[in-house]
Amino acid sequence: MIQLAIFVLLLFGYSLVSRRLERTVLTAPIVFAIAGVLMFPALPAILEAGFNPNVFLHLAEVGLVLLLFTDASRTDFQYLKTIGNLPIRLLSTGLLLTIFLGMVAARLVFPELSVWEAGILSVILAPTDAGLGQVIVSSPRVPTRIREALNVEAGLNDGLSVPFLLFFMALAAAKIEGGSASLAEFIGQQLGYGVVVGAVIGLAGGWVLGRARRRNWVAGPFRQIAVVALPLLCLVISEMVGASMFIASFVAGLTVQVGFRDAGKDSVEFTEEWGQLINLAVFFLFGVLIVKDWPQYTMSAFLYAVLSLTVVRMVPVAIALIGTGLSPASVVFVGWFGPRGLASIVLGLVYLEQGMYLPGESATRLAVIVTVALSIFAHGFSAMPGINLYARKIAALGPDAPEHREIEA
């Protein structure tokens, strides 16, 4: 109750000054994570009362399920064609190279990790967080093409990372159990069932919503509730049949558009309002987790965190953007602003929840905590200075530079 009371008071106080804080480097995730860290005097009492990680997990799962559905439902493939191939490069070459380079770095920094454990760590930290990068993607000083590329990348790479995580987890489990039957069964259930559950819920839900909308049966406020009920239904059904709730919600977001084109608009409005409450609660609890595990942090965890946010992210981005004609300033800007946040927290919790008890589980957990914590502060504090510096750099470019090219209507 102490935690809940402090969180509610903080939420009220932050809301009162939120517009003024938007002009500063103090992003909402920074404020709520710091508040969680500052709970350390009460940590003994919290642990004595029982710090239930399952509450943290389920809250984060709901947040990511809503986020995946929202990101997928607002994906307009026609629009992707108009903004060029930057997002495609980042989501294909960039993401695959990030996972590969993250595996190499994990094996070098943590020799105790197997190849598949290194893959698990790499995938957990591969997706970027649109929420942490909100200052970037909403700044008019950043060229539209760059903003949209980062926004689309962050919106889709979490959903694309989930199959890789499930695949590496299945391989790691199969190696321990000494058989391939569990691998095929796990992949079939998690991926196959997830796609089926998501497609059925998305297509059926979209068809029903579309018909109800055309007949004017749905009151305005309940349209958002009806749309948001679909990813929550994916969560419940997936738990019942052993499917991946994340795959299901992502597929449902893609398929719901077949019958209801406005699903993206309604889900975005809900996520930006009530979904934000869940995300801030996750960052608050994550701050408590940072302090709880503080004595266990190692130099290896900090080293991997630095590599993950720099070399592992920036080198693949630079390779993916070869041939686009973007200036070095743009390549560095896109490479640096790939913050790790909610998706990495949830994927890390999902991995731990499986109870696989792999030899490198502790190293993986600490590396994820340190990397996300470092990202929250490093990307938050560097956002405004980074935008100012980048704006000065691209102002010196000629009018024909790719950065200044307008998005086609």
Side-chain angles (χ1 to χ4, degrees):
M1 294 305 294
I2 294 175
Q3 288 176 274
L4 180 60
I6 292 176
F7 173 73
V8 172
L9 286 172
L10 177 63
L11 188 66
F12 178 71
Y14 183 85
S15 300
L16 296 179
V17 295
S18 56
R19 184 174 294 276
R20 294 186 66 88
L21 289 178
E22 285 178 353
R23 308 189 192 106
T24 71
V25 296
L26 289 176
T27 63
I30 288 178
V31 172
F32 282 81
I34 289 177
V37 170
L38 293 179
M39 291 287 292
F40 74 90
L43 191 59
I46 293 173
L47 294 177
E48 184 178 349
F51 182 80
N52 190 347
N54 288 330
V55 175
F56 187 20
L57 170 65
H58 296 320
L59 186 65
E61 282 179 339
V62 171
L64 186 57
V65 161
L66 292 176
L67 183 64
L68 288 170
F69 179 85
T70 299
D71 290 339
S73 65
R74 68 180 181 181
T75 300
D76 187 337
F77 293 99
Q78 290 298 120
Y79 177 70
L80 287 180
K81 294 179 182 178
T82 67
I83 64 176
N85 62 356
L86 295 185
I88 304 301
R89 286 170 173 263
L90 294 174
L91 290 168
S92 55
T93 305
L95 181 61
L96 293 174
L97 286 178
T98 296
I99 293 174
F100 173 74
L101 198 55
M103 291 177 64
V104 174
R107 287 282 289 166
L108 293 175
V109 176
F110 303 107
E112 67 271 24
L113 296 184
S114 67
V115 173
W116 308 130
E117 288 179 283
I120 290 171
L121 174 57
S122 179
V123 172
I124 290 174
L125 293 172
T128 55
D129 190 330
L132 287 178
Q134 190 60 40
V135 177
I136 303 297
V137 299
S138 62
S139 174
R141 304 188 66 192
V142 179
T144 305
R145 288 169 57 82
I146 303 300
R147 282 190 282 124
E148 290 301 320
L150 287 170
N151 196 32
V152 172
E153 179 200 17
L156 296 178
N157 62 8
D158 43 12
L160 296 176
S161 297
V162 172
F164 289 99
L165 176 64
L166 299 178
F167 180 68
F168 285 130
M169 287 171 56
L171 288 173
K175 181 180 179 181
I176 289 179
E177 296 172 8
S180 58
S182 60
L183 171 61
E185 181 181 357
F186 185 85
I187 293 178
Q189 286 184 346
Q190 292 285 304
L191 299 184
Y193 289 1
V195 171
V196 172
V197 169
V200 170
I201 292 176
L203 290 172
W207 181 79
V208 172
L209 279 169
R211 288 182 62 86
R213 170 72 182 279
R214 287 190 293 273
R215 298 188 180 194
N216 202 27
W217 288 354
V218 187
F222 283 93
R223 196 170 67 193
Q224 286 187 21
I225 294 175
V227 171
V228 173
L230 296 180
L232 296 180
L233 184 60
C234 288
L235 186 154
V236 174
I237 300 298
S238 296
E239 283 288 292
M240 293 171 60
V241 301
S244 167
M245 65 182 72
F246 306 118
I247 295 291
S249 60
F250 190 73
V251 172
L254 292 174
T255 55
V256 72
Q257 302 178 65
V258 175
F260 189 55
R261 294 294 302 173
D262 291 336
K265 177 177 179 294
D266 292 325
S267 61
V268 167
E269 289 177 357
F270 181 90
T271 303
E272 289 180 346
E273 296 173 5
W274 294 104
Q276 180 76 343
L277 179 64
I278 297 176
N279 295 344
L280 294 180
V282 170
F283 283 114
F284 178 73
L285 292 174
F286 181 71
V288 177
L289 190 64
I290 293 174
V291 179
K292 176 178 175 292
D293 290 329
W294 182 262
Q296 303 177 47
Y297 297 151
T298 63
M299 289 304 299
S300 296
F302 283 98
L303 175 59
Y304 188 80
V306 172
L307 290 174
S308 179
L309 300 180
T310 54
V311 177
V312 172
R313 160 71 183 179
M314 299 177 76
V315 170
V317 166
I319 295 174
L321 297 181
I322 291 175
T324 60
L326 294 176
S327 66
S330 294
V331 174
V332 172
F333 187 83
V334 173
W336 169 244
F337 284 107
R340 310 314 200 277
L342 180 66
S344 293
I345 294 173
V346 180
L347 294 181
L349 289 171
V350 169
Y351 162 60
L352 295 175
E353 185 197 26
Q354 296 298 319
M356 300 172 68
Y357 304 109
L358 299 176
E361 186 173 289
S362 177
T364 299
R365 179 173 59 85
L366 295 177
V368 171
I369 293 174
V370 174
T371 303
V372 174
L374 184 60
S375 179
I376 291 173
F377 294 100
H379 290 108
F381 287 134
S382 65
M384 294 305 295
I387 291 174
N388 294 335
L389 178 60
Y390 179 54
R392 290 197 298 270
K393 292 288 186 181
I394 62 172
L397 300 177
D400 295 332
E403 286 86 349
H404 297 316
R405 192 179 304 157
E406 293 295 329
I407 293 179
E408 301 174 3

